Amino acid sequence: ISVLGSAFISVLFLKKTMRAADILGGTLTVTGTYLLVTFAPNVPQELTARRVQNYLVSWPFLVYSILEIMIFCILLYFYKRKAVKHIVVLLMMVALLASLTVIAVKAVASMVTLSVKGKMQLTYSVFYIMIVLMATSCAFQVKFLNQAMHLYEATAVVPMNFVFFTTSAIISGVIFYREFQSAALLSVFMFLFGCLLSFLGVFVIAKNKKEEHLQIPFIDCGHIPGQKLTGKIQPDSHYSRYGTLNNEDDLVKSQS
């Protein structure tokens, strides 16, 4: 929705030209999203605090957590010690944190819902552990995502973050909540095909959208007090000085 909304807002309010790639990408994204929703696992389960505790200590999630922590520490080492700020490194760290966010948000939302219905879950310590996990992972996601937005164009960050975030959310849901445990093979295939269409649509929309730059090839500083401006200020490859201001000798003569 954010990608499609940005595309249409740029046409309506920023007077951008609607390209054929925008229409094609939007169609692919909508079709992929429809397949995602239609063939997503729809197994109702009551996520009580005890069930969340059992999921936390299950061996598939423990193995997944160890691998995720190792990968995150390696990426963080290159980011901090080696000053490697490549877009893949930054967005991979965002995606790894996002997988924890997805797990924590679903657990917290389910326990709050059950508590409102009369089945009190807020007395369990796992509820507060999930709240801390949710807040911490969200905060560091914002940190690394802002760093990526500062260093790279939004047209590069948005599609890559969408792909990494969605992939990590699916993997974490499969491992932690075992969402595809009883799903049919056709449903799994159509779900993955919907993911592929969504990814492709987002990349088509973002492709070749470059940030606008100033079209003026020189810097117009206007009138500078005490200086005689003889032309536009621009680099001159034949002289060591910059621009077309009078040199210091001419300035001294004019002042004397």
Side-chain angles (χ1 to χ4, degrees):
I1 289 175
S2 63
V3 174
L4 291 177
S6 299
F8 283 108
I9 286 174
S10 65
V11 173
L12 294 177
F13 296 99
L14 302 179
K15 307 303 180 183
K16 301 289 184 180
T17 303
M18 175 68 74
R19 306 174 304 158
D22 295 331
I23 300 175
L24 175 61
T27 303
L28 291 173
T29 304
V30 171
T31 304
T33 304
Y34 174 77
L35 294 176
L36 283 174
V37 175
T38 303
F39 293 97
N42 188 18
V43 181
Q45 55 177 334
E46 195 176 63
L47 289 177
T48 62
R50 292 188 178 276
R51 177 168 291 183
V52 173
Q53 287 176 351
N54 293 333
Y55 286 159
L56 281 174
V57 296
S58 62
W59 70 265
F61 180 70
L62 291 177
V63 173
Y64 172 76
S65 300
I66 293 173
L67 290 176
E68 183 173 277
I69 292 172
M70 290 175 59
I71 296 173
F72 185 83
C73 290
I74 293 173
L75 294 174
L76 190 63
Y77 170 78
F78 282 104
Y79 173 74
K80 290 290 188 181
R81 297 295 184 181
K82 301 297 183 179
V84 177
K85 296 183 180 180
H86 193 274
I87 185 173
V88 175
V89 174
L90 291 169
L91 294 184
M92 277 292 293
M93 290 192 291
V94 173
L96 293 174
L97 293 169
S99 64
L100 300 178
T101 304
V102 170
I103 291 173
V105 166
K106 184 172 182 178
V108 170
S110 299
M111 285 187 279
V112 169
T113 302
L114 290 175
S115 299
V116 171
K117 291 181 178 179
K119 300 179 180 179
M120 181 56 61
Q121 306 292 317
L122 306 185
T123 56
Y124 292 87
S125 59
V126 68
F127 173 76
Y128 301 97
I129 293 175
M130 285 297 181
I131 288 182
V132 173
L133 181 63
M134 178 179 64
T136 305
S137 59
C138 283
F140 282 100
Q141 274 186 79
V142 172
K143 171 183 170 60
F144 293 123
L145 189 57
N146 281 339
Q147 184 69 30
M149 293 294 289
H150 281 299
L151 296 176
Y152 300 94
E153 293 184 354
T155 52
V157 175
V158 170
M160 289 190 66
N161 183 58
F162 173 75
V163 173
F164 288 169
F165 185 96
T166 306
T167 304
S168 66
I170 293 172
I171 294 175
S172 62
V174 169
I175 294 176
F176 189 84
Y177 292 110
R178 306 168 189 176
E179 294 176 341
F180 285 94
Q181 192 171 15
S182 59
L185 183 61
L186 178 61
S187 297
V188 175
F189 174 78
M190 294 303 294
F191 181 86
L192 296 177
F193 183 65
C195 291
L196 179 62
L197 289 181
S198 297
F199 297 162
L200 182 61
V202 171
F203 274 103
V204 169
I205 292 175
K207 184 181 179 181
N208 296 328
K209 280 192 174 182
K210 302 297 183 182
E211 298 289 339
E212 293 186 356
H213 300 283
L214 292 176
Q215 300 299 321
I216 304 175
F218 53 82
I219 305 172
D220 189 0
C221 294
H223 299 287
I224 302 177
Q227 302 280 3
K228 182 180 179 182
L229 189 64
T230 60
K232 304 298 183 183
I233 298 177
Q234 53 188 353
D236 191 343
S237 59
H238 300 290
Y239 298 97
S240 60
R241 58 192 174 87
Y242 183 88
T244 59
L245 291 174
N246 293 332
N247 57 31
E248 295 180 359
D249 295 336
D250 295 336
L251 179 59
V252 172
K253 292 179 181 179
S254 63
Q255 290 178 348
S256 60

